[in-house]
Amino acid sequence: QNIILFMKRRLSMKQLTKISLCILTAFMSITTVNAKTPSNPEPVWFFPDFSEDEKLSDWDLTCDNVGACRAVGFYGEESFDYEDENQREASLMIKREAGNPKVIIKANLNFIEDRDYVVEETIRQMEQKSAEMFVNGKSYGKVALNFENGSKLNDVQTKAILDNIKQPLKIEFRLDKMHSNISTYGLKEVLMKMDEIQGFANTPYALWQKGNKSAPTTTYSYPVLQDKPIIGTSSVIDRNSNDGKKLIALLKNDLKVQAEKSEIDYQDDCMILDDDSEIDEYDKERIQTFDAVQLTKDKKLVSGLCWTAAYNMGYGMWVVDNKFNKVHQNVGLDLSYQEGNQLFLAIKGRGLGDCWSLDEWTWDGEKFVQSFSGNTGMCRGFAGGAWLTPSTVIDVASVKDDISRLD
């Protein structure tokens, strides 16, 4: 449910919701095109290492290509009582823009009364309610439920959390009999890293270690991509036809060249390029044809099924010339689908669908440029993921309400 709500904000027009389709580290871009401008910060993902304790952090940090950082924390899995039907999943997101000391905190509270049968009417009814927030046992008032954008804390509630982060901290939300807690395991480490990355460490506005250094004021803008339309006519290519055989030979050779350059063997990663003898009967039926879409008068996008897994599948997508003599671009072997002048990847980290990796590429007239990469955070029981945390964002010129005001 949440993945649909999140995508409506930026990606509804891209219709990622068509996919009913992580290991968390795999959430960062699978195949990337460098999307930063020379002056923009590099995207950063940070996950505290508590391997000596044989535990996983309940917090992580993602900073995007304009230096906006989002620290996301969840309830503690070890302390969560799964037999208590009134204990609910909860998550906090602490966000700060580059060059701006103001901190915004939002809560995502899984206070859905019937989690096995969620309909829009249930969500609308629940969003008429408010949860009460407690910090170290003291009430700091109501938080209006918002399942689409997250429940934004007011200034008093935000201050109550930030003023207490260096002492034993218990953050709790209550609604009727339901209750949720936020773990602080890993919070110190991600806030220190956020201060470091954004240059706020040892300044009066640091979240953890305050000091007298001057605070940074530099802000950044998301790069803008002047995208181009495609011709869009579609066709299919039988893999056993002369064109199909020529295309397979071309693509296999391209993967071989890439493997030699990168010392990674890609040649066994795409079943539509395999010989029939290497493919089981079930998959043979699914890879009889390539899909082709005309991009320009002399370039096509061709795609075919490369791999399947328990709850994901990946398509190879290439830009080739009309006569199948040249590969202009290998976009990747893990994509999900094409729509208009854009390509999309959506892969879930486990069957429950509570964690996703999301990527987008847009046609600039010559090639597909990665215009979005992000994830929905840890696999912690939120259908569709708790948050959409971007690492790479490019505003697409033709999309009027495009991006990044993701939160």
Side-chain angles (χ1 to χ4, degrees):
Q1 183 68 38
N2 283 13
I3 193 170
I4 295 175
L5 297 175
F6 279 126
M7 293 307 106
K8 282 180 180 176
R9 304 208 60 214
R10 168 193 180 180
L11 300 175
S12 61
M13 71 294 290
K14 331 285 194 206
Q15 297 187 3
L16 273 173
T17 56
K18 286 173 57 179
I19 301 179
S20 59
L21 300 153
C22 92
I23 305 302
L24 189 58
T25 54
F27 274 161
M28 304 310 287
S29 175
I30 292 178
T31 48
T32 63
V33 176
N34 192 355
K36 76 180 190 67
T37 61
S39 59
N40 275 30
E42 291 278 3
V44 174
W45 179 73
F46 172 73
F47 187 72
D49 182 5
F50 296 135
S51 55
E52 291 186 1
D53 297 337
E54 297 184 349
K55 293 176 63 178
L56 292 176
S57 172
D58 293 316
W59 285 79
D60 71 353
L61 175 69
T62 303
C63 300
D64 68 18
N65 58 319
V66 295
C69 291
R70 297 166 176 85
V72 172
F74 291 84
Y75 60 93
E77 281 195 305
E78 292 189 357
S79 61
F80 194 86
D81 185 357
Y82 291 93
E83 295 183 0
D84 180 358
E85 64 179 16
N86 291 316
Q87 185 166 2
R88 299 302 173 91
E89 298 87 355
S91 178
L92 279 187
M93 181 177 71
I94 301 175
K95 180 188 175 184
R96 183 172 60 191
E97 304 276 358
N100 184 350
K102 183 175 177 58
V103 173
I104 295 172
I105 301 181
K106 289 186 174 184
N108 191 342
L109 307 173
N110 205 1
F111 285 162
I112 300 294
E113 292 180 328
D114 187 353
R115 290 179 289 182
D116 294 327
Y117 186 67
V118 180
V119 295
E120 291 294 327
E121 182 60 29
T122 303
I123 293 174
R124 284 195 294 271
Q125 291 175 357
M126 289 300 295
E127 287 189 330
Q128 303 302 311
K129 300 183 178 183
S130 296
E132 189 171 6
M133 187 184 99
F134 294 82
V135 175
N136 292 341
K138 179 181 177 180
S139 172
Y140 283 88
K142 299 290 187 178
V143 178
L145 296 182
N146 186 323
F147 297 110
E148 179 176 355
N149 304 325
S151 303
K152 185 177 179 180
L153 306 191
N154 62 34
D155 291 344
V156 172
Q157 293 165 338
T158 298
K159 187 174 186 298
I161 291 175
L162 296 180
D163 284 353
N164 288 282
I165 56 176
K166 286 194 173 183
Q167 57 182 291
L169 177 62
K170 182 179 181 181
I171 304 168
E172 185 179 14
F173 296 90
R174 302 175 191 169
L175 173 60
D176 301 330
K177 295 181 179 180
M178 295 179 287
H179 57 96
S180 296
N181 295 292
I182 302 294
S183 169
T184 58
Y185 191 63
L187 175 61
K188 171 186 175 180
E189 287 75 12
V190 300
L191 294 185
M192 290 179 68
K193 179 60 72 171
M194 183 190 290
D195 283 340
E196 174 192 327
I197 291 170
Q198 294 185 314
F200 281 105
N202 298 308
T203 73
Y205 304 106
L207 293 171
W208 195 264
Q209 189 63 50
K210 298 184 184 298
N212 296 319
K213 288 179 60 178
S214 297
T217 58
T218 302
T219 59
Y220 304 90
S221 298
Y222 287 104
V224 177
L225 174 64
Q226 299 295 330
D227 60 318
K228 303 295 182 183
I230 64 172
I231 293 175
T233 53
S234 60
S235 60
V236 295
I237 304 165
D238 189 314
R239 72 188 298 268
N240 294 311
S241 68
N242 289 336
D243 279 347
K245 292 175 181 177
K246 185 176 181 181
L247 179 58
I248 288 173
L250 176 69
L251 300 180
K252 289 180 77 170
N253 183 68
D254 180 70
L255 291 182
K256 180 179 179 181
V257 171
Q258 287 194 44
E260 291 171 350
K261 289 180 179 179
S262 64
E263 298 182 355
I264 298 175
D265 187 2
Y266 294 101
Q267 297 181 74
D268 295 327
D269 291 343
C270 192
M271 68 173 72
I272 199 169
L273 305 183
D274 292 340
D275 296 332
D276 283 350
S277 61
E278 300 173 2
I279 306 168
D280 63 43
E281 291 301 319
Y282 174 75
D283 286 326
K284 275 184 184 179
E285 298 179 6
R286 310 168 75 178
I287 59 166
Q288 290 307 303
T289 58
F290 290 89
D291 291 319
V293 177
Q294 201 69 40
L295 299 171
T296 65
K297 65 179 182 179
D298 55 5
K299 290 181 180 178
K300 295 178 184 290
L301 174 74
V302 294
S303 61
L305 184 63
C306 280
W307 57 268
T308 60
Y311 37 81
N312 290 307
M313 62 180 61
Y315 289 83
M317 296 193 183
W318 299 265
V319 178
V320 300
D321 72 299
N322 285 340
K323 296 184 180 297
F324 311 130
N325 290 322
K326 182 178 180 179
V327 176
H328 292 281
Q329 183 183 9
N330 177 348
V331 185
L333 305 181
D334 306 291
L335 283 82
S336 301
Y337 76 102
Q338 168 265 334
E339 183 170 300
N341 68 346
Q342 294 187 304
L343 310 177
F344 301 96
L345 175 152
I347 292 180
K348 56 184 176 181
R350 61 180 182 176
L352 185 60
D354 57 348
C355 44
W356 292 72
S357 174
L358 303 164
D359 291 84
E360 164 197 291
W361 292 259
T362 303
W363 181 249
D364 72 354
E366 294 292 330
K367 61 187 179 302
F368 284 99
V369 176
Q370 188 164 32
S371 46
F372 183 85
S373 181
N375 67 73
T376 65
M378 302 182 203
C379 307
R380 291 294 183 93
F382 287 84
W387 306 100
L388 183 58
T389 54
S391 56
T392 295
V393 174
I394 293 183
D395 278 319
V396 178
S398 69
V399 183
K400 299 303 182 184
D401 60 345
D402 200 31
I403 160 92
S404 44
R405 315 308 161 226
L406 295 166
D407 33 43

